[in-house]
Amino acid sequence: MVFFSKKQKANQVIIKTAEDIEAMRPACRLAAQTLEEAAKLVKPGVDTLSIDEFVHAYTLDHGAVPAPLNYRGYPKSCCISVNEVVCHGIPSRTKILRDGDIVNIDITSILNGFHGDVSATFYVGTPSAKAVDLVETTRRCLELGIAQVRPGAHLGDIGAEIQAFAEGRGFSVVRDFVGHGIGRGFHEPPTVEHYGTRNTKLRLEEGMVFTIEPMINAGGFLLRVLSDGWTAVTLDDKWSAQFEHTIVVTKDGCEVLTKFSAPLANSQTPEGFSF
């Protein structure tokens, strides 16, 4: 979840112990499980508040707390961002999903004092070829970013790989919102930018835990925040997609703590799509 702006000051990175990482696993597993279940609700005619109400109830039923609710005044239990909304879309009874839309659902669970953070973009009904191109490019950006994570690599390697791929396919990378460290805190250092230069920024080491969550736009990367103080939309009203996982740096590479147990409903790579 991207409540963390790149302008926020980054302090000392918290290196997680083996015990910390084991304690984080249930929160990350629950966040992924909640998103797997919420994905099944993505259909034309469904309002986004209904999905949020499901996320809220499911989280509480499993002994956890939805981290976004009342965080810095945010009013709902998850963020649901449709089409041109880049992030922080507030679920609403009047926001109805329509055939052909794309929608990102961003979920963070707090369980036993630790956070797990994950998101994915879904197809509502039958997507257009342009929507598929944007969403699948964004999915691939996350995969490529994760592939850079290993001890001795740099944070800049992640951003450079994502930027090169996205821009090479004619898309842009959002600058104003970033990934972030996570653990007992919802948003911790370091800042994880999804653009940049190789061999720059912080050197990665075992025990670092952070999110990678590229937001990729069909048009330009500039955005504006609506009068509700939360909803960020593309400045040119073109569509945006996002995928996110919580990652831990391991001795030999990395592990996706929010890995899904099965392909997400309404968010599978369409057969025949290739880069």
Side-chain angles (χ1 to χ4, degrees), residues 123-135:
Y123 300 115
V124 182
T126 304
S128 68
K130 288 183 178 180
V132 170
D133 194 10
L134 172 64
V135 172

Side-chain angles (χ1 to χ4, degrees), residues 27 46 66 70 81 102 107 115 129 156 170 182 204 208 210 240 245 260:
V46 172
N70 298 319
S81 303
I102 61 172
I107 291 172
H115 293 70
I182 188 168
L204 304 181
M208 290 182 177
F210 50 82
S240 182
H245 273 307
F260 302 119

Side-chain angles (χ1 to χ4, degrees), residues 28-43 54 58 103-107 117-125 135-136 139 142-143 242-245 256 258-270:
C28 290
R29 189 160 52 244
L30 177 59
Q33 182 180 326
T34 305
L35 188 57
E36 289 172 348
E37 294 302 316
K40 300 172 185 177
L41 303 178
V42 175
K43 295 181 174 73
F54 170 83
Y58 192 92
V103 55
N104 177 271
I105 303 175
D106 196 339
I107 291 172
D117 194 355
V118 67
S119 85
T121 297
F122 301 91
Y123 300 115
V124 182
V135 172
E136 298 311 320
R139 190 196 312 272
L142 175 59
E143 294 169 349
Q242 180 190 13
F243 286 88
E244 173 186 16
H245 273 307
V256 178
T258 46
K259 184 177 180 179
F260 302 119
S261 61
L264 292 170
N266 302 304
S267 187
Q268 299 181 39
T269 304

